[in-house]
């Protein structure tokens, strides 16, 4: 998979995210996730480097949004 340095990558479906993860995505720096229901993805989020990611209007399982923010992600309701 090619790097995304300096680019912003928009993800607007859980299926798109799951496909990218299956292809080896592990770092979300520069990624913008829009309106995703991530309540069933706690394990996936814990395994990723989310620093530099932006979560716009995403839903999280309890504690996941705070954990993402602690790791350097921007979480906007």
């Amino acid at each position: 998979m090619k790097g995304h340095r300096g680019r912003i990558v928009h993800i607007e479906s859980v299926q798109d995210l799951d496909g990218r993860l299956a292809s080896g995505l592990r770092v979300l720096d520069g990624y913008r996730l829009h309106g995703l229901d991530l309540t069933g993805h706690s394990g996936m989020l814990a395994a990723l480097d989310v620093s530099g990611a932006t979560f716009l209007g995403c839903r999280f399982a309890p504690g996941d949004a705070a954990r993402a923010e602690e790791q350097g992600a921007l979480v906007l309701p």
Side-chain angles (χ1 to χ4, degrees):
M1 173 178 267
K2 292 183 180 180
H4 298 286
R5 181 177 217 137
R7 290 193 302 158
I8 296 174
V9 180
H10 296 271
I11 297 181
E12 297 181 355
S13 74
V14 173
Q15 294 80 8
D16 183 15
L17 178 60
D18 288 342
R20 291 172 186 267
L21 293 171
S23 295
L25 177 66
R26 297 294 174 255
V27 178
L28 293 182
D29 184 27
Y31 279 73
R32 305 298 181 257
L33 294 86
H34 301 263
L36 303 184
D37 182 355
L38 300 171
T39 55
H41 284 72
S42 289
M44 174 272 301
L45 288 172
L48 294 174
D49 177 355
V50 298
S51 63
T54 302
F55 296 90
L56 302 161
C58 295
R59 292 183 13 200
F60 295 88
D64 285 350
R67 194 170 17 263
E69 287 179 318
E70 289 171 3
Q71 294 174 0
L74 177 61
V75 178
L76 302 170

